Amino acid sequence: MTAIPATFRAYVAEKVQDRVERGVRDFTETDLPPGEIEIRVGWSSVNYKDGLATRADGKVARISPLIPGIDLAGEVVGSQDPSIPAGTAVLAHGYDLGVSRHGGYSEYQRVPAGWVVPLAPGLSPREAMAIGTAGFTAAMSVVVLEERGLQPDSGPVLVTGASGGVGGTALAILAERGYEVWAVTGKPEETERLRSLGASGILSRDEVTAEGRALDAERWAGAIDAVGGATLPYVLRTLKQGAAVAASGNAGGAKLETTVFPFILRGVALLGMNSVPVPIARRRALWDRLATDLRPRELGGHVTEVSLADLDGPLDAIVAGSARGRWVVRVAA
Ligand SMILES: NC(=O)c1ccc[n+]([C@@H]2O[C@H](COP(=O)([O-])OP(=O)(O)OC[C@H]3O[C@@H](n4cnc5c(N)ncnc54)[C@H](OP(=O)(O)O)[C@@H]3O)[C@@H](O)[C@H]2O)c1
């Protein structure tokens, strides 16, 4: 017995020889994976990993055809778990979603109950996807730094890749919590928008990717980096004594060339962030906080709304590094 219609619309990526064919097509309910919770998806979002999942050289998709979309939000329409009854507004992200199991770019989806996060009052499904996986990762990063002792009077905090999803949301969360936040961006035309999100100062990408000494002047009480590459070495050599950077991404490259001096002379810490396997209890608690004390400034104000049929452009743009805020995907017609 299922509450999902026999067929519905989904955006599908399918490997055909050395290409990936993408587009909206009819999808059959019996081709969805098993799971206790059936969801009518209202919203999804575009994350860097979704862009990679729809490219032949992306090394992310584990099945073909794949309905991508590493996050989704909507309403439960069928449930075998009494704690998450039909009618509940929920989201799901992480684990295998949109990678080795069909994801959010689908009018209906079926997921295990242990992946489902009931939405806190005060966070709509659209707002949840304006935050999405990128914003959840930003929140994780803030919490991990604060658990280590970071607080607004510790000093300025640096956020890299600030025009993008992780960076922009980290900036908006930190600013709302009273931090002095500095943003690194490769897009000078984004300066005003980043200031409106709460940036006290802006550094150019060129400034932070230039060749530097093993240690530079101590500047940052903490940092959130989703860029990696040539940016992370700058962050490490300018962190204050005992400070930490929460590192989650490689938008600027996967290779890390640094020295041991920030670690052995300043005691700085490089904290790896991985949102994918976060246990469900911690995931739910973090989402509850995203609706309250971690709610990003101007939530919903820096999103571009697209439909399933419009996805090709944003999926290509995010991998090309041209994100400006977040894309939310209106899935329900
Ligand atoms: N570990 C996890 O759990 C997790 C979760 C979510 C995302 N991620 C990773 O985090 C990264 C960012 O994801 P996102 O969704 O925020 O992507 P995004 O929206 O595309 O943002 C990335 C930002 O990085 C900057 N950037 C892009 N190319 C660059 C380059 N070549 N050199 C330096 N900076 C560059 C750009 O910001 P500026 O132009 O403003 O500099 C861009 O807007 C990705 O690598 C993604 O896979 C990891």
Side-chain angles (χ1 to χ4, degrees):
M1 187 56 191
T2 175
I4 297 180
T7 62
F8 49 87
R9 304 289 282 166
Y11 179 94
V12 180
E14 180 160 17
K15 226 172 166 200
V16 180
Q17 286 148 3
D18 54 355
R19 293 173 303 110
V20 174
E21 282 186 359
R22 309 179 298 186
V24 180
R25 54 165 104 150
D26 284 334
F27 206 84
T28 306
E29 176 273 320
T30 49
D31 288 334
L32 288 180
E36 300 82 35
I37 306 295
E38 297 182 331
I39 300 168
R40 181 166 53 232
V41 181
W43 300 92
S44 182
S45 79
V46 177
N47 292 276
Y48 195 86
K49 203 168 173 183
D50 299 315
L52 295 178
T54 63
R55 291 167 64 101
D57 60 354
K59 299 193 174 89
V60 163
R62 295 279 176 263
I63 54 170
S64 176
L66 169 71
I67 303 175
I70 61 171
D71 47 34
L72 62 84
E75 186 188 345
V76 174
V77 289
S79 173
Q80 295 167 39
D81 184 327
S83 71
I84 312 171
T88 310
V90 295
L91 68 85
H93 70 114
Y95 309 118
D96 299 337
L97 204 66
V99 175
S100 52
R101 186 182 164 112
H102 294 309
Y105 299 163
S106 178
E107 288 176 342
Y108 290 86
Q109 196 49 267
R110 199 184 277 128
V111 295
W115 293 11
V116 172
V117 178
L119 280 179
L123 200 62
S124 70
R126 187 181 190 276
E127 286 174 331
M129 289 298 100
I131 296 171
T133 302
F136 176 84
T137 306
M140 263 180 82
S141 305
V142 171
V143 167
V144 164
L145 292 175
E146 289 189 343
E147 283 171 351
R148 265 186 106 258
L150 184 72
Q151 49 188 48
D153 64 6
S154 307
V157 176
L158 186 69
V159 170
T160 67
S163 72
V166 176
T169 315
L171 165 58
I173 293 172
L174 288 166
E176 195 59 20
R177 289 173 78 69
Y179 286 88
E180 176 187 338
V181 196
W182 285 64
V184 180
T185 185
K187 305 184 185 91
E189 68 280 11
E190 284 286 281
T191 299
E192 277 320 301
R193 190 177 71 80
L194 297 178
R195 284 199 182 277
S196 79
L197 274 178
S200 300
I202 309 281
L203 299 183
S204 75
R205 188 186 300 173
D206 290 345
E207 217 172 314
V208 306
T209 53
E211 199 73 20
R213 297 180 300 169
L215 289 172
D216 279 329
E218 295 182 40
R219 199 160 174 198
W220 312 111
I224 294 180
D225 175 59
V227 172
T231 297
L232 187 50
Y234 164 85
V235 177
L236 290 167
R237 66 177 182 263
T238 52
L239 281 174
K240 290 185 180 188
Q241 189 70 236
V245 53
S248 57
N250 63 343
K255 204 162 176 186
L256 176 61
E257 284 181 31
T258 183
T259 72
V260 296
F261 294 119
F263 306 104
I264 65 174
L265 296 182
R266 293 207 178 134
V268 311
L270 174 53
L271 309 173
M273 297 293 108
N274 185 3
S275 63
V276 174
V278 174
I280 192 65
R282 184 163 170 90
R283 195 181 293 274
R284 287 175 178 163
L286 244 171
W287 274 104
D288 283 349
R289 292 191 61 189
L290 274 160
T292 53
D293 69 310
L294 291 175
R295 191 180 173 92
R297 180 174 290 185
E298 294 195 28
L299 176 56
H302 295 260
V303 298
T304 305
E305 190 176 307
V306 294
S307 68
L308 288 179
D310 303 325
L311 270 169
D312 291 358
L315 287 167
D316 291 339
I318 199 162
V319 177
S322 39
R324 286 176 168 72
R326 299 256 308 138
W327 284 278
V328 293
V329 185
R330 178 190 284 278
V331 178

